[in-house]
mmCIF file of all heavy atoms in Angstrom:
data_model
loop_
_atom_site.group_PDB
_atom_site.id
_atom_site.type_symbol
_atom_site.label_atom_id
_atom_site.label_comp_id
_atom_site.label_asym_id
_atom_site.label_seq_id
_atom_site.Cartn_x
_atom_site.Cartn_y
_atom_site.Cartn_z
ATOM 1 N N LYS A 179 65.550 144.051 25.516
ATOM 2 C CA LYS A 179 64.700 145.194 25.829
ATOM 3 C C LYS A 179 63.718 144.880 26.958
ATOM 4 O O LYS A 179 63.479 145.687 27.871
ATOM 5 C CB LYS A 179 63.957 145.677 24.601
ATOM 6 C CG LYS A 179 64.821 146.361 23.546
ATOM 7 C CD LYS A 179 64.022 146.795 22.354
ATOM 8 C CE LYS A 179 64.885 147.502 21.327
ATOM 9 N NZ LYS A 179 64.101 147.893 20.111
ATOM 10 N N GLU A 180 63.160 143.681 26.912
ATOM 11 C CA GLU A 180 62.226 143.253 27.928
ATOM 12 C C GLU A 180 62.912 143.186 29.309
ATOM 13 O O GLU A 180 62.283 143.461 30.351
ATOM 14 C CB GLU A 180 61.621 141.900 27.592
ATOM 15 C CG GLU A 180 60.655 141.924 26.423
ATOM 16 C CD GLU A 180 60.200 140.551 26.004
ATOM 17 O OE1 GLU A 180 60.603 139.553 26.663
ATOM 18 O OE2 GLU A 180 59.443 140.444 25.010
ATOM 19 N N ARG A 181 64.177 142.857 29.318
ATOM 20 C CA ARG A 181 64.944 142.803 30.567
ATOM 21 C C ARG A 181 65.409 144.180 31.027
ATOM 22 O O ARG A 181 65.972 144.344 32.119
ATOM 23 C CB ARG A 181 66.177 141.925 30.391
ATOM 24 C CG ARG A 181 65.876 140.477 30.067
ATOM 25 C CD ARG A 181 67.190 139.724 29.911
ATOM 26 N NE ARG A 181 67.006 138.370 29.415
ATOM 27 C CZ ARG A 181 67.994 137.504 29.171
ATOM 28 N NH1 ARG A 181 69.245 137.915 29.354
ATOM 29 N NH2 ARG A 181 67.738 136.300 28.751
ATOM 30 N N GLY A 182 65.222 145.197 30.182
ATOM 31 C CA GLY A 182 65.697 146.534 30.495
ATOM 32 C C GLY A 182 67.192 146.714 30.318
ATOM 33 O O GLY A 182 67.820 147.596 30.914
ATOM 34 N N SER A 183 67.834 145.859 29.490
ATOM 35 C CA SER A 183 69.254 145.906 29.307
ATOM 36 C C SER A 183 69.656 147.026 28.346
ATOM 37 O O SER A 183 69.038 147.186 27.263
ATOM 38 C CB SER A 183 69.743 144.549 28.762
ATOM 39 O OG SER A 183 71.113 144.640 28.385
ATOM 40 N N GLU A 184 70.689 147.768 28.671
ATOM 41 C CA GLU A 184 71.220 148.796 27.785
ATOM 42 C C GLU A 184 71.959 148.205 26.591
ATOM 43 O O GLU A 184 72.271 148.931 25.630
ATOM 44 C CB GLU A 184 72.156 149.729 28.562
ATOM 45 C CG GLU A 184 71.448 150.597 29.614
ATOM 46 C CD GLU A 184 72.395 151.532 30.310
ATOM 47 O OE1 GLU A 184 73.613 151.289 30.244
ATOM 48 O OE2 GLU A 184 71.931 152.499 30.938
ATOM 49 N N LEU A 185 72.259 146.916 26.618
ATOM 50 C CA LEU A 185 72.991 146.273 25.531
ATOM 51 C C LEU A 185 72.233 146.320 24.212
ATOM 52 O O LEU A 185 72.836 146.188 23.139
ATOM 53 C CB LEU A 185 73.287 144.818 25.886
ATOM 54 C CG LEU A 185 74.320 144.569 26.982
ATOM 55 C CD1 LEU A 185 74.370 143.093 27.359
ATOM 56 C CD2 LEU A 185 75.679 145.071 26.564
ATOM 57 N N ALA A 186 70.921 146.514 24.261
ATOM 58 C CA ALA A 186 70.155 146.621 23.025
ATOM 59 C C ALA A 186 70.343 147.973 22.347
ATOM 60 O O ALA A 186 70.088 148.093 21.154
ATOM 61 C CB ALA A 186 68.669 146.406 23.333
ATOM 62 N N GLU A 187 70.846 148.948 23.093
ATOM 63 C CA GLU A 187 70.856 150.311 22.561
ATOM 64 C C GLU A 187 72.254 150.914 22.415
ATOM 65 O O GLU A 187 72.506 151.676 21.481
ATOM 66 C CB GLU A 187 69.989 151.231 23.432
ATOM 67 C CG GLU A 187 68.539 150.826 23.469
ATOM 68 C CD GLU A 187 67.640 151.941 23.925
ATOM 69 O OE1 GLU A 187 68.147 152.956 24.410
ATOM 70 O OE2 GLU A 187 66.397 151.820 23.774
ATOM 71 N N ILE A 188 73.167 150.605 23.326
ATOM 72 C CA ILE A 188 74.450 151.286 23.293
ATOM 73 C C ILE A 188 75.615 150.275 23.359
ATOM 74 O O ILE A 188 75.479 149.191 23.913
ATOM 75 C CB ILE A 188 74.609 152.308 24.455
ATOM 76 C CG1 ILE A 188 74.537 151.621 25.802
ATOM 77 C CG2 ILE A 188 73.594 153.397 24.329
ATOM 78 C CD1 ILE A 188 74.804 152.539 26.983
ATOM 79 N N HIS A 189 76.735 150.682 22.759
ATOM 80 C CA HIS A 189 77.985 149.935 22.904
ATOM 81 C C HIS A 189 78.714 150.452 24.139
ATOM 82 O O HIS A 189 78.307 151.429 24.770
ATOM 83 C CB HIS A 189 78.869 150.162 21.668
ATOM 84 C CG HIS A 189 78.338 149.541 20.406
ATOM 85 N ND1 HIS A 189 77.341 150.163 19.679
ATOM 86 C CD2 HIS A 189 78.662 148.402 19.722
ATOM 87 C CE1 HIS A 189 77.080 149.418 18.621
ATOM 88 N NE2 HIS A 189 77.867 148.363 18.628
ATOM 89 N N LYS A 190 79.833 149.857 24.449
ATOM 90 C CA LYS A 190 80.645 150.345 25.547
ATOM 91 C C LYS A 190 81.224 151.707 25.240
ATOM 92 O O LYS A 190 81.425 152.528 26.125
ATOM 93 C CB LYS A 190 81.760 149.363 25.884
ATOM 94 C CG LYS A 190 81.303 148.250 26.829
ATOM 95 C CD LYS A 190 82.484 147.668 27.625
ATOM 96 C CE LYS A 190 81.999 146.831 28.773
ATOM 97 N NZ LYS A 190 83.099 146.324 29.598
ATOM 98 N N THR A 191 81.515 151.939 23.953
ATOM 99 C CA THR A 191 81.929 153.280 23.547
ATOM 100 C C THR A 191 80.754 153.927 22.836
ATOM 101 O O THR A 191 80.191 153.387 21.893
ATOM 102 C CB THR A 191 83.143 153.222 22.598
ATOM 103 O OG1 THR A 191 84.253 152.676 23.301
ATOM 104 C CG2 THR A 191 83.498 154.643 22.126
ATOM 105 N N VAL A 192 80.360 155.113 23.346
ATOM 106 C CA VAL A 192 79.166 155.792 22.832
ATOM 107 C C VAL A 192 79.565 157.142 22.275
ATOM 108 O O VAL A 192 80.264 157.926 22.955
ATOM 109 C CB VAL A 192 78.122 155.981 23.987
ATOM 110 C CG1 VAL A 192 76.883 156.696 23.464
ATOM 111 C CG2 VAL A 192 77.747 154.624 24.576
ATOM 112 N N ILE A 193 79.139 157.441 21.046
ATOM 113 C CA ILE A 193 79.418 158.706 20.416
ATOM 114 C C ILE A 193 78.431 159.754 20.871
ATOM 115 O O ILE A 193 77.207 159.496 20.886
ATOM 116 C CB ILE A 193 79.381 158.600 18.873
ATOM 117 C CG1 ILE A 193 80.274 157.437 18.395
ATOM 118 C CG2 ILE A 193 79.792 159.913 18.208
ATOM 119 C CD1 ILE A 193 81.743 157.616 18.727
ATOM 120 N N ARG A 194 78.925 160.909 21.244
ATOM 121 C CA ARG A 194 78.080 162.023 21.647
ATOM 122 C C ARG A 194 78.461 163.237 20.797
ATOM 123 O O ARG A 194 79.563 163.273 20.217
ATOM 124 C CB ARG A 194 78.259 162.331 23.146
ATOM 125 C CG ARG A 194 77.599 161.296 24.028
ATOM 126 C CD ARG A 194 76.088 161.439 23.959
ATOM 127 N NE ARG A 194 75.379 160.605 24.907
ATOM 128 C CZ ARG A 194 74.640 159.557 24.602
ATOM 129 N NH1 ARG A 194 74.589 159.177 23.320
ATOM 130 N NH2 ARG A 194 73.992 158.875 25.504
ATOM 131 N N PRO A 195 77.614 164.260 20.716
ATOM 132 C CA PRO A 195 77.938 165.440 19.890
ATOM 133 C C PRO A 195 79.182 166.164 20.347
ATOM 134 O O PRO A 195 79.867 166.828 19.528
ATOM 135 C CB PRO A 195 76.691 166.340 20.005
ATOM 136 C CG PRO A 195 75.949 165.823 21.195
ATOM 137 C CD PRO A 195 76.255 164.365 21.264
ATOM 138 N N TRP A 196 79.530 166.017 21.604
ATOM 139 C CA TRP A 196 80.707 166.712 22.150
ATOM 140 C C TRP A 196 81.969 165.839 22.130
ATOM 141 O O TRP A 196 83.066 166.290 22.406
ATOM 142 C CB TRP A 196 80.460 167.160 23.587
ATOM 143 C CG TRP A 196 79.696 166.175 24.417
ATOM 144 C CD1 TRP A 196 78.352 166.205 24.704
ATOM 145 C CD2 TRP A 196 80.224 165.000 25.068
ATOM 146 N NE1 TRP A 196 77.998 165.111 25.482
ATOM 147 C CE2 TRP A 196 79.135 164.369 25.731
ATOM 148 C CE3 TRP A 196 81.485 164.423 25.166
ATOM 149 C CZ2 TRP A 196 79.272 163.200 26.481
ATOM 150 C CZ3 TRP A 196 81.650 163.253 25.884
ATOM 151 C CH2 TRP A 196 80.562 162.658 26.542
ATOM 152 N N GLY A 197 81.817 164.550 21.810
ATOM 153 C CA GLY A 197 82.936 163.637 21.818
ATOM 154 C C GLY A 197 82.460 162.206 22.015
ATOM 155 O O GLY A 197 81.636 161.713 21.221
ATOM 156 N N SER A 198 82.946 161.502 23.041
ATOM 157 C CA SER A 198 82.535 160.126 23.271
ATOM 158 C C SER A 198 82.821 159.722 24.701
ATOM 159 O O SER A 198 83.593 160.391 25.412
ATOM 160 C CB SER A 198 83.269 159.183 22.317
ATOM 161 O OG SER A 198 84.673 159.173 22.594
ATOM 162 N N TYR A 199 82.216 158.618 25.112
ATOM 163 C CA TYR A 199 82.587 158.019 26.407
ATOM 164 C C TYR A 199 82.632 156.497 26.250
ATOM 165 O O TYR A 199 81.942 155.933 25.399
ATOM 166 C CB TYR A 199 81.643 158.407 27.555
ATOM 167 C CG TYR A 199 80.271 157.811 27.518
ATOM 168 C CD1 TYR A 199 80.006 156.518 27.978
ATOM 169 C CD2 TYR A 199 79.189 158.573 27.057
ATOM 170 C CE1 TYR A 199 78.730 156.005 27.940
ATOM 171 C CE2 TYR A 199 77.899 158.049 27.035
ATOM 172 C CZ TYR A 199 77.670 156.758 27.484
ATOM 173 O OH TYR A 199 76.400 156.229 27.462
ATOM 174 N N ALA A 200 83.510 155.882 26.987
ATOM 175 C CA ALA A 200 83.653 154.423 26.993
ATOM 176 C C ALA A 200 83.502 153.924 28.431
ATOM 177 O O ALA A 200 84.101 154.482 29.377
ATOM 178 C CB ALA A 200 85.018 154.005 26.440
ATOM 179 N N ILE A 201 82.679 152.907 28.629
ATOM 180 C CA ILE A 201 82.489 152.315 29.949
ATOM 181 C C ILE A 201 83.637 151.331 30.176
ATOM 182 O O ILE A 201 83.753 150.317 29.492
ATOM 183 C CB ILE A 201 81.133 151.615 30.046
ATOM 184 C CG1 ILE A 201 79.990 152.632 29.820
ATOM 185 C CG2 ILE A 201 80.985 150.952 31.422
ATOM 186 C CD1 ILE A 201 78.632 151.997 29.723
ATOM 187 N N LEU A 202 84.492 151.608 31.137
ATOM 188 C CA LEU A 202 85.618 150.773 31.454
ATOM 189 C C LEU A 202 85.271 149.640 32.400
ATOM 190 O O LEU A 202 85.798 148.535 32.274
ATOM 191 C CB LEU A 202 86.765 151.631 32.054
ATOM 192 C CG LEU A 202 87.232 152.811 31.213
ATOM 193 C CD1 LEU A 202 88.349 153.560 31.945
ATOM 194 C CD2 LEU A 202 87.694 152.347 29.835
ATOM 195 N N GLU A 203 84.404 149.924 33.332
ATOM 196 C CA GLU A 203 83.990 148.920 34.309
ATOM 197 C C GLU A 203 82.704 149.385 34.989
ATOM 198 O O GLU A 203 82.491 150.579 35.179
ATOM 199 C CB GLU A 203 85.096 148.710 35.376
ATOM 200 C CG GLU A 203 84.822 147.591 36.366
ATOM 201 C CD GLU A 203 85.940 147.398 37.352
ATOM 202 O OE1 GLU A 203 87.081 147.783 37.052
ATOM 203 O OE2 GLU A 203 85.667 146.879 38.469
ATOM 204 N N GLU A 204 81.853 148.431 35.340
ATOM 205 C CA GLU A 204 80.644 148.802 36.079
ATOM 206 C C GLU A 204 80.187 147.610 36.935
ATOM 207 O O GLU A 204 80.495 146.444 36.623
ATOM 208 C CB GLU A 204 79.512 149.290 35.180
ATOM 209 C CG GLU A 204 79.017 148.277 34.178
ATOM 210 C CD GLU A 204 77.913 148.895 33.288
ATOM 211 O OE1 GLU A 204 77.055 149.605 33.828
ATOM 212 O OE2 GLU A 204 77.946 148.640 32.087
ATOM 213 N N GLY A 205 79.492 147.899 37.987
ATOM 214 C CA GLY A 205 78.975 146.889 38.877
ATOM 215 C C GLY A 205 77.862 147.503 39.705
ATOM 216 O O GLY A 205 77.414 148.610 39.440
ATOM 217 N N PRO A 206 77.383 146.784 40.714
ATOM 218 C CA PRO A 206 76.333 147.335 41.578
ATOM 219 C C PRO A 206 76.740 148.654 42.211
ATOM 220 O O PRO A 206 77.772 148.710 42.898
ATOM 221 C CB PRO A 206 76.116 146.234 42.613
ATOM 222 C CG PRO A 206 76.624 144.972 41.953
ATOM 223 C CD PRO A 206 77.770 145.427 41.114
ATOM 224 N N GLN A 207 76.056 149.709 41.896
ATOM 225 C CA GLN A 207 76.217 151.031 42.516
ATOM 226 C C GLN A 207 77.515 151.722 42.126
ATOM 227 O O GLN A 207 77.908 152.687 42.777
ATOM 228 C CB GLN A 207 76.113 150.944 44.043
ATOM 229 C CG GLN A 207 74.752 150.380 44.480
ATOM 230 C CD GLN A 207 74.554 150.424 45.993
ATOM 231 O OE1 GLN A 207 75.517 150.538 46.734
ATOM 232 N NE2 GLN A 207 73.327 150.331 46.419
ATOM 233 N N TYR A 208 78.154 151.324 40.992
ATOM 234 C CA TYR A 208 79.296 152.097 40.524
ATOM 235 C C TYR A 208 79.494 151.887 39.022
ATOM 236 O O TYR A 208 79.058 150.893 38.462
ATOM 237 C CB TYR A 208 80.579 151.717 41.274
ATOM 238 C CG TYR A 208 81.267 150.463 40.780
ATOM 239 C CD1 TYR A 208 82.268 150.520 39.805
ATOM 240 C CD2 TYR A 208 80.896 149.212 41.265
ATOM 241 C CE1 TYR A 208 82.894 149.373 39.365
ATOM 242 C CE2 TYR A 208 81.523 148.059 40.808
ATOM 243 C CZ TYR A 208 82.504 148.144 39.865
ATOM 244 O OH TYR A 208 83.118 146.984 39.416
ATOM 245 N N LYS A 209 80.136 152.870 38.394
ATOM 246 C CA LYS A 209 80.491 152.804 36.965
ATOM 247 C C LYS A 209 81.717 153.682 36.741
ATOM 248 O O LYS A 209 81.806 154.781 37.313
ATOM 249 C CB LYS A 209 79.314 153.289 36.111
ATOM 250 C CG LYS A 209 79.576 153.198 34.594
ATOM 251 C CD LYS A 209 78.423 153.813 33.797
ATOM 252 C CE LYS A 209 77.158 152.978 33.891
ATOM 253 N NZ LYS A 209 76.073 153.532 33.027
ATOM 254 N N ILE A 210 82.669 153.209 35.923
ATOM 255 C CA ILE A 210 83.872 153.960 35.623
ATOM 256 C C ILE A 210 83.894 154.197 34.105
ATOM 257 O O ILE A 210 83.784 153.256 33.312
ATOM 258 C CB ILE A 210 85.139 153.212 36.063
ATOM 259 C CG1 ILE A 210 85.089 152.943 37.571
ATOM 260 C CG2 ILE A 210 86.401 154.032 35.712
ATOM 261 C CD1 ILE A 210 86.208 152.060 38.068
ATOM 262 N N LYS A 211 84.086 155.468 33.714
ATOM 263 C CA LYS A 211 84.078 155.831 32.292
ATOM 264 C C LYS A 211 85.343 156.594 31.924
ATOM 265 O O LYS A 211 85.944 157.296 32.731
ATOM 266 C CB LYS A 211 82.911 156.803 31.978
ATOM 267 C CG LYS A 211 81.518 156.252 32.004
ATOM 268 C CD LYS A 211 80.539 157.363 31.666
ATOM 269 C CE LYS A 211 79.111 156.871 31.564
ATOM 270 N NZ LYS A 211 78.192 157.976 31.223
ATOM 271 N N LYS A 212 85.730 156.421 30.659
ATOM 272 C CA LYS A 212 86.703 157.298 30.016
ATOM 273 C C LYS A 212 85.923 158.235 29.137
ATOM 274 O O LYS A 212 85.221 157.839 28.224
ATOM 275 C CB LYS A 212 87.702 156.483 29.189
ATOM 276 C CG LYS A 212 88.690 157.332 28.422
ATOM 277 C CD LYS A 212 89.537 156.461 27.499
ATOM 278 C CE LYS A 212 90.428 157.298 26.570
ATOM 279 N NZ LYS A 212 91.218 156.466 25.631
ATOM 280 N N ILE A 213 86.049 159.549 29.387
ATOM 281 C CA ILE A 213 85.305 160.577 28.666
ATOM 282 C C ILE A 213 86.286 161.392 27.833
ATOM 283 O O ILE A 213 87.259 161.903 28.330
ATOM 284 C CB ILE A 213 84.514 161.504 29.605
ATOM 285 C CG1 ILE A 213 83.468 160.670 30.373
ATOM 286 C CG2 ILE A 213 83.859 162.647 28.860
ATOM 287 C CD1 ILE A 213 82.661 161.461 31.401
ATOM 288 N N THR A 214 85.990 161.525 26.536
ATOM 289 C CA THR A 214 86.783 162.319 25.612
ATOM 290 C C THR A 214 85.968 163.461 25.073
ATOM 291 O O THR A 214 84.866 163.230 24.526
ATOM 292 C CB THR A 214 87.323 161.448 24.457
ATOM 293 O OG1 THR A 214 88.061 160.317 24.972
ATOM 294 C CG2 THR A 214 88.206 162.260 23.511
#
């Protein structure tokens, strides 16, 4: 949390009220998701 990392709060697959999303890959200035 002190580092500002999202790893403390979310998994790669995140449940949302409309479905879910999974982070497939990310790096500086980009992110690729699978959204269901």
Side-chain angles (χ1 to χ4, degrees):
K179 288 180 179 178
E180 290 173 3
R181 297 178 188 179
S183 172
E184 292 182 343
L185 290 172
E187 298 199 348
I188 62 174
H189 293 78
K190 275 205 167 183
T191 297
V192 180
I193 307 299
R194 287 289 187 250
W196 40 261
S198 65
Y199 71 81
I201 300 172
L202 304 180
E203 186 178 335
E204 63 182 317
Q207 300 186 342
Y208 81 93
K209 183 185 291 184
I210 301 172
K211 288 181 176 180
K212 175 186 174 183
I213 297 178
T214 302

